[in-house]
Amino acid sequence: MTQPIIQFDHISKIYGTGNTEVRALSDVSLTVQSGEYCAIMGPSGSGKSTAMNVIGCLDRPTAGRYCLDGVDVSLLDDRALAHIRNQKIGFVFQQFHLLPQLTALENVMLPMVYAGVPYPERHDRATAALTRVGLDNRLSNKPAQLSGGQQQRVAIARAIVNQPVLLLADEPTGALDSHTTQDVMAIFAELNASGITVVMVTHEAEVARLTRRVVWFRDGEVVHDHLAPEDIGQMAFTA
Amino acid sequence: MDLRESLGMAVKTLTANKLRSTLTMLGIIIGNASVIAMVGIGEGAQKFVSEEIEGLGPNVLFVVPGNQETQRATFNLPKTLVLSDAEAIAEQVPSVVGVAPEFNDSGPVVYRNRSTNSTIVGTTPGFPLVRNFTVGRGRFFTDLDMQRSTQVAVLGSELADRLFQGSEPVGQQIRVKNVSFQVIGVLDEKGSGLGGLNYDEAVLVPLLTLSRRLVGQTSPFGVELTYIVASVDRQDNMGAAEFQIANLLRLRHKITGADDFVVRSQKDLLEFTGTITGALTALLAAIAGISLLVGGIGIMNIMLVSVRERTQEIGLRKAIGASGNDILVQFMIEAVILSAAGGIIGTGIGVGGAALLGAVTPFQPGISVSAIVISVVVSGSIGLFFGVVPARQAAQLDPIVALRSA
Ligand SMILES: Nc1ncnc2c1ncn2[C@@H]1O[C@H](COP(=O)(O)OP(=O)(O)OP(=O)(O)O)[C@@H](O)[C@H]1O
Ligand SMILES: [Mg+2]
């Protein structure tokens, strides 16, 4: 009884015009069902981040129809998109993007501030989210006082604190060593097991192998779409 | 996202960078401090002048030569008033109880080897009564002194101190414009007077002595006067006296067209100086207002830099659910907090500065509550106004571009 979370229907994204025109996404059709754990791979400049931005409602496609969790988002205004990003989507970035002047707890509370959650509940939920990623002993540390892996776990806690249906991660382990990569991937697996749909961009075959579906991009098109685990190293070679 | 959250967030951001926030506020602080101090000084000056005029007593009329036009055009007024005009006013206007005509000159006053330049006032025995002066030591000159043009002088208190430095002036000989005078009295101190004429620093001599022995007037019409001051018995009679004096002088001067004199009451003078000091206050406030404007531009400048610096923060906030409007409000609030806080601090400094000035100058600065309220509200609005451009820039930032700018 699956239900599509992401529905790309002939999506194109074109940057610039005339000579400088870049087809970052070229007529992409793609469906991700609720509860999937999906990796996006492909060479640099193939349109992975562009696809993630469109999925995350940070960017609008030039052409095509995009339905998120059954809602056609191409018709929504800035305010409604902000609300969707706040309620349905959690973002994790390669660069963590924590606010340096805020503590770990305050960083995690931030999405709830925009959601209008009152302080006591905000505090409790943020604490719970940080506990879930194993950082309940670092609540009042500023980002500068945390290791890279810890910072990324704070970012994950922030991404899940509003109980999104979809977790988007653009190269979440790109700035981490192999050991902390394992920790972070374990958290993603655990979140996916609890029902959150996870889509992540990665360049690392070992990371993609831990997901359950791999979508390959090349020159703005989906060139392979298959279930993991397979010999991803081999796929990278052929792609 | 409600306003209290936004306020708390803005305060957090601003206190995270205290030095920058303080420097940003500096323009507004200086602007406000100068507005408050300048307006305070202006109002103080206004009060000071008003009190001086009120000190003349409410029952005094000034008769000055020239008309409205010539008075505005030049300081060198035509001498259309003569001593006999003053005598006629005293005799023929029933409510006038005394007149003090004056002819003012200036020149060196010498006692032994000490010399100073001072105002030489030629007047009549009616002066102390009409102008509300008391003679501290010795006596004032009399009608007899007038008739005989005796060479006697009454000194202002400060002039006496400067020339005699503690020794007894009464009975001593001084030289005024190289003519020998005997000091017969010293006036009590009264403080600086109107129009720059400070009687404390003047030497007073009988009017006829001045015109005959010092000025050598040869006017065929009589003894020229700088102005006439007349005191009226009761406040109720001021209007009548003003009217009668004017008519009398028109008759005497055979005027058919425009008057060659103006009669002013204390009320007229208050209004006249009120417009001058009011304009002065407005000018000072305008100058100070410009610095407030500059402060506002400073805030805009720093906020623009801040938006550039915080593009990643803005992108992140948008990614986790802030709408463009939320970002707009956030930056607006930061600008308003900066300017309003600057306004409050500046006002405090301005009040302090004005009080300090009050301690070293003769007038008490007027600090009005309305000036303070207006100042804080205005600086808040300045933040609002100059915050719009940076805040809009922040709100319109593309989150993807913002997040990528690592
Ligand atoms: N704002 C933009 N303006 C113009 N071109 C852009 C813009 N953003 C992306 N592109 C172009 O679109 C194409 C796809 O970029 P995208 O960032 O999606 O690649 P990617 O697959 O994420 O690459 P990487 O693995 O290096 O992150 C690239 O050719 C890029 O230069
Ligand atoms: Mg990318």
Side-chain angles (χ1 to χ4, degrees):
Chain A
M1 206 196 75
T2 52
Q3 167 201 348
I5 290 286
I6 301 167
Q7 266 181 299
F8 265 25
D9 190 6
H10 300 287
I11 292 285
S12 291
K13 179 72 195 181
I14 300 167
Y15 289 112
T17 50
N19 280 344
T20 61
E21 181 180 296
V22 177
R23 286 191 155 260
L25 290 177
S26 180
D27 198 32
V28 174
S29 291
L30 178 73
T31 302
V32 176
Q33 303 291 341
S34 172
E36 276 199 80
Y37 188 9
C38 175
I40 294 178
M41 296 191 79
S44 185
S46 58
K48 306 183 295 293
S49 294
T50 306
M52 291 294 270
N53 292 336
V54 174
I55 294 170
C57 299
L58 285 171
D59 206 354
R60 292 173 191 274
T62 314
R65 211 170 83 103
Y66 169 37
C67 289
L68 171 69
D69 202 14
V71 179
D72 185 349
V73 296
S74 46
L75 306 169
L76 301 178
D77 64 4
D78 171 72
R79 226 187 153 74
L81 288 179
H83 186 70
I84 285 192
R85 290 197 294 270
N86 184 245
Q87 292 295 311
K88 295 201 168 183
I89 301 169
F91 287 96
V92 178
F93 305 93
Q94 183 177 1
Q95 309 298 337
F96 321 138
H97 287 310
L98 299 175
L99 299 193
Q101 74 268 29
L102 302 184
T103 64
L105 189 68
E106 287 166 337
N107 265 292
V108 176
M109 287 196 291
L110 210 50
M112 291 185 283
V113 171
Y114 288 110
V117 177
Y119 180 81
E121 185 188 342
R122 216 194 295 163
H123 183 274
D124 293 348
R125 272 167 60 183
T127 309
L130 280 165
T131 307
R132 200 165 169 190
V133 298
L135 280 179
D136 44 329
N137 54 347
R138 291 284 188 277
L139 300 182
S140 49
N141 286 51
K142 298 259 170 89
Q145 301 163 326
L146 297 171
S147 73
Q150 287 170 334
Q151 288 186 57
Q152 193 60 302
R153 282 192 278 165
V154 174
I156 294 171
R158 181 180 62 192
I160 60 171
V161 79
N162 269 349
Q163 285 134 9
V165 291
L166 178 60
L167 190 62
L168 298 175
D170 196 344
E171 301 187 43
T173 60
L176 304 178
D177 64 27
S178 60
H179 185 71
T180 42
T181 295
Q182 296 297 322
D183 292 349
V184 166
M185 288 309 290
I187 293 170
F188 279 123
E190 196 263 323
L191 291 173
N192 176 248
S194 75
I196 301 176
T197 310
V198 179
V199 177
M200 74 168 64
V201 171
T202 182
H203 281 289
E204 298 161 76
E206 310 85 74
V207 168
R209 202 174 280 121
L210 297 170
T211 67
R212 289 193 271 124
R213 175 184 173 188
V214 181
V215 179
W216 288 87
F217 273 74
R218 191 173 173 184
D219 297 332
E221 289 176 54
V222 175
V223 289
H224 286 280
D225 188 345
H226 58 83
L227 296 182
E230 277 188 25
D231 195 344
I232 292 166
Q234 185 65 35
M235 289 305 303
F237 183 71
T238 52
Chain B
M1 185 169 174
D2 70 23
L3 206 64
R4 242 189 43 230
E5 299 278 5
S6 313
L7 274 173
M9 207 149 74
V11 168
K12 197 155 212 138
T13 308
L14 294 175
T15 49
N17 204 335
K18 289 191 191 66
L19 181 62
R20 168 188 284 201
S21 299
T22 312
L23 289 174
T24 310
M25 282 191 293
L26 209 55
I28 293 286
I29 291 175
I30 292 170
N32 253 282
S34 43
V35 166
I36 293 291
M38 291 293 170
V39 171
I41 290 166
E43 284 182 1
Q46 210 156 342
K47 222 164 63 190
F48 174 71
V49 172
S50 305
E51 277 165 11
E52 283 293 326
I53 294 171
E54 278 156 11
L56 297 170
N59 300 359
V60 166
L61 287 173
F62 287 77
V63 185
V64 285
N67 56 35
Q68 304 282 5
E69 264 63 57
T70 55
Q71 285 200 354
R72 207 160 291 151
T74 171
F75 287 107
N76 199 3
L77 300 172
K79 301 281 192 298
T80 55
L81 294 174
V82 291
L83 182 56
S84 53
D85 288 333
E87 288 164 353
I89 291 169
E91 280 163 23
Q92 294 177 34
V93 180
S95 52
V96 167
V97 292
V99 291
E102 274 181 41
F103 183 87
N104 296 334
D105 192 14
S106 68
V109 180
V110 181
Y111 171 67
R112 291 192 180 159
N113 58 351
R114 277 195 284 276
S115 166
T116 180
N117 255 307
S118 94
T119 307
I120 305 160
V121 177
T123 186
T124 63
F127 178 88
L129 171 82
V130 173
R131 301 303 297 273
N132 207 8
F133 272 89
T134 51
V135 182
R137 286 203 293 280
R139 63 175 180 91
F140 206 76
F141 36 81
T142 61
D143 288 330
L144 204 66
D145 291 315
M146 274 287 277
Q147 281 160 29
R148 294 186 183 162
S149 307
T150 52
Q151 285 155 255
V152 292
V154 174
L155 300 180
S157 58
E158 260 175 62
L159 180 64
D161 284 348
R162 202 175 318 148
L163 284 180
F164 290 91
Q165 302 191 338
S167 70
E168 178 57 53
V170 176
Q172 299 297 325
Q173 290 291 321
I174 58 172
R175 298 185 76 78
V176 178
K177 284 180 107 174
N178 260 331
V179 177
S180 181
F181 279 80
Q182 185 181 32
V183 178
I184 57 167
V186 178
L187 292 177
D188 282 327
E189 187 181 336
K190 197 160 185 201
S192 71
L194 279 170
L197 209 176
N198 185 352
Y199 291 99
D200 290 348
E201 293 181 346
V203 53
L204 289 78
V205 300
L207 179 64
L208 291 178
T209 313
L210 178 73
S211 67
R212 287 181 192 150
R213 302 203 196 274
L214 295 182
V215 185
Q217 266 182 354
T218 53
S219 164
F221 305 107
V223 177
E224 284 176 11
L225 299 176
T226 310
Y227 49 80
I228 301 167
V229 185
S231 69
V232 179
D233 55 357
R234 282 186 311 153
Q235 179 105 47
D236 302 342
N237 289 336
M238 289 291 284
E242 192 170 341
F243 179 77
Q244 287 162 1
I245 289 172
N247 269 339
L248 177 64
L249 292 181
R250 280 182 199 125
L251 273 173
R252 291 179 55 82
H253 296 186
K254 302 189 173 59
I255 286 171
T256 52
D259 286 351
D260 59 0
F261 62 89
V262 181
V263 185
R264 291 191 197 285
S265 65
Q266 178 206 44
K267 201 174 112 241
D268 297 334
L269 283 174
L270 276 177
E271 279 167 12
F272 181 64
T273 55
T275 54
I276 292 177
T277 51
L280 179 80
T281 305
L283 183 75
L284 290 175
I287 293 169
I290 288 171
S291 57
L292 205 56
L293 193 75
V294 172
I297 293 170
I299 286 191
M300 176 157 77
N301 188 20
I302 300 293
M303 291 301 291
L304 282 171
V305 172
S306 167
V307 169
R308 293 203 131 212
E309 242 180 34
R310 287 157 66 192
T311 43
Q312 286 203 49
E313 174 193 330
I314 295 163
L316 181 273
R317 285 181 185 275
K318 284 193 165 183
I320 63 171
S323 64
N325 198 49
D326 289 330
I327 302 291
L328 185 89
V329 169
Q330 182 189 344
F331 276 81
M332 291 296 285
I333 286 178
E334 282 181 26
V336 170
I337 286 180
L338 278 177
S339 58
I344 291 166
I345 295 171
T347 300
I349 294 174
V351 169
L356 207 70
L357 265 158
V360 298
T361 56
F363 43 81
Q364 283 307 306
I367 298 298
S368 55
V369 177
S370 65
I372 293 173
V373 171
I374 289 171
S375 195
V376 172
V377 169
V378 163
S379 30
S381 323
I382 279 181
L384 211 60
F385 181 78
F386 286 105
V388 168
V389 173
R392 280 182 60 104
Q393 224 175 63
Q396 285 165 1
L397 232 126
D398 184 347
I400 304 159
V401 178
L403 282 170
R404 209 173 18 215
S405 69

